[in-house]
Amino acid sequence: MHARAAAATTTALLGAAVVLPAPLAHAAVSTDQPLVIAHRGASAQAPENTLAAIDRAARLGFTWVENDVQRTKDGKLVVIHDDSLARTTDVEQVFPKRAPWKVKDFTAAEIARLDAGSWFSARYKGARVPTLKQYMNRVSRNHQKLVLEIKNPQLYPGIERETLKTLSNEGWLGPASVRRKLVIQSFSADSVRKVHSLRPDVKTGFLGTPSVAELPAYARFADQINSSHTTISRGYVAAIHAFEGPHGKPLEIFTWTVDTAADTRRVAGLGVNGVITNKPDVVRKALRES
Ligand code: G3P
Ligand code: CA
C-alpha cells in the first residue's frame, strides 16, 4: 500500500487533531544537511533560466539546478518562468505590436531573437531563452542534476509527454539518470500524475502544501511535496516523511525559495531534504556554519 504506515496515532506536532499514521522508523528528522538547489540557476547572480545561470551555479560548485519549461507556438519546449516574455526579455522592443507577449504566441525562431540577459545586467546582453534541448545539453556538460518544473501545463496540453520525449532524446531517462539526477515537479497535480503514469520510474514532486489528510493521495504519484518555506512547520515536515511515495521510500520535501541565512537555519532544523534558493552560496554558508 502506498503512503502506508503502521498504526494510526495523533500527532501533537501538527497542533491540530489530525489522525495520522505512525511515523515510519526512518522518518525521524534527518541529521543530514539538505541538498541545495539553485533556483532558475544561480538566479541572484545571472539571468534566471538561462545557460549563464546554470553555468554560474556550476562555477559556484552547485550540482542541482531548477528550471521552468513551457511551449512555443510551434511546439518547441523552452526554459522560461513567466507565461509572458515581457519581464525577462526585450520582446516589447523587438515585437512592439504583439502584446501581451505570451510564450505560447511566439515561435521558437522569434524567441531565439530575444535578449534574455540585458534586463538583468548589461554583462549578460545577448543571453537567450534556451530551448529545453539546449538546456539539457548544458546541464549534462556541467555534470549537473535537475529539478524540472512543468510550468502552466494547463496552457500546453501534452507537454508532459513532450518533455519526457526531449529528456529521453537527451539521454536523461536511462536508469542511472532517473535514479540520481532528475525530479520533475509541477504546481498541477494532474501534470505530476500524468508524468508518473507515463514514466513511473521518474521521480516527481508536487509543488504546494496539501493538508496532511491529503498526503496519502499525493503519495501515490509524487515522491516529493515541495512547499513554500513560509508554509511549513516541523510537524508538517515530519508528516511528509511519515508517508511512502510511489517508489517505496519516505516522501521528501524540497522547500522554496529560501534566500537568507536565518531561513536556511530554520528549514534545515525542520528536517527538509532540499532547499531551493536564488542564492545557493548564502544557503551553503549558512548550512556550513550551523
Ligand atoms: O521550485 C520551486 C519554485 O520554482 C516554485 O515557484 O514560481 O519560482 O516557479 P516558481
Ligand atoms: Ca520553478
Side-chain angles (χ1 to χ4, degrees):
M1 174 170 72
H2 291 317
R4 74 176 187 271
T9 188
T10 303
T11 176
L13 290 170
L14 294 167
V18 177
V19 176
L20 276 180
L24 298 166
H26 46 219
V29 172
S30 169
T31 53
D32 294 342
Q33 294 278 36
L35 290 176
V36 181
I37 300 105
H39 184 235
R40 313 181 196 173
S43 58
Q45 298 189 25
E48 64 183 57
N49 277 328
T50 62
L51 301 184
I54 52 175
D55 287 349
R56 182 77 185 166
R59 276 199 300 280
L60 290 167
F62 293 96
T63 303
W64 279 92
V65 294
E66 187 263 7
N67 74 351
D68 304 281
V69 173
Q70 303 193 64
R71 192 169 70 200
T72 66
K73 185 178 179 181
D74 54 342
K76 298 284 190 304
L77 298 179
V78 288
V79 176
I80 187 167
H81 178 271
D82 298 2
D83 67 356
S84 164
L85 295 152
R87 179 177 64 88
T88 58
T89 76
D90 59 351
V91 70
E92 293 181 51
Q93 285 75 57
V94 180
F95 298 104
K97 296 184 179 159
R98 301 272 295 275
W101 301 289
K102 298 287 187 188
V103 174
K104 68 180 177 56
D105 295 332
F106 286 77
T107 66
E110 289 170 336
I111 290 174
R113 291 174 52 195
L114 303 176
D115 180 343
S118 293
W119 71 275
F120 185 86
S121 153
R123 179 177 165 199
Y124 292 101
K125 180 175 166 49
R128 299 294 157 190
V129 174
T131 63
L132 181 59
K133 181 177 161 56
Q134 291 166 337
Y135 189 94
M136 298 313 300
N137 279 334
R138 186 62 64 93
V139 175
S140 297
R141 195 175 93 183
N142 290 346
H143 304 290
Q144 288 169 306
K145 305 181 182 189
L146 178 63
V147 178
L148 183 156
E149 181 183 344
I150 300 181
K151 184 61 90 185
N152 303 316
Q154 70 283 359
L155 298 177
Y156 314 109
I159 192 171
E160 296 83 7
R161 187 182 291 278
E162 293 163 357
T163 299
L164 289 167
K165 181 86 170 62
T166 299
L167 291 173
S168 177
N169 290 348
E170 299 307 311
W172 273 68
L173 292 189
S177 300
V178 160
R179 216 169 30 244
R180 291 187 299 104
K181 60 179 194 181
L182 177 68
V183 177
I184 300 181
Q185 66 174 2
S186 183
F187 282 103
S188 161
D190 285 346
S191 192
V192 180
R193 201 182 287 110
K194 185 77 188 286
V195 169
H196 178 66
S197 71
L198 289 168
R199 281 295 300 239
D201 54 335
V202 169
K203 193 166 175 178
T204 57
F206 173 70
L207 281 163
T209 314
S211 70
V212 171
E214 293 172 308
L215 290 177
Y218 285 90
R220 292 193 185 97
F221 59 88
D223 300 273
Q224 299 182 340
I225 303 296
N226 295 342
S227 312
S228 164
H229 76 93
T230 60
T231 66
I232 61 173
S233 63
R234 180 180 291 263
Y236 190 69
V237 173
I240 286 173
H241 288 158
F243 292 96
E244 280 184 5
H247 298 103
K249 295 188 177 158
L251 286 184
E252 297 177 340
I253 173 169
F254 285 5
T255 193
W256 45 274
T257 305
V258 176
D259 286 345
T260 68
D263 286 335
T264 301
R265 284 191 290 273
R266 175 177 170 272
V267 298
L270 301 182
V272 301
N273 306 93
V275 178
I276 299 175
T277 172
N278 299 320
K279 298 181 176 177
D281 48 337
V282 169
V283 169
R284 176 173 59 194
K285 183 165 185 286
L287 290 173
R288 282 177 177 165
E289 290 171 355
S290 65

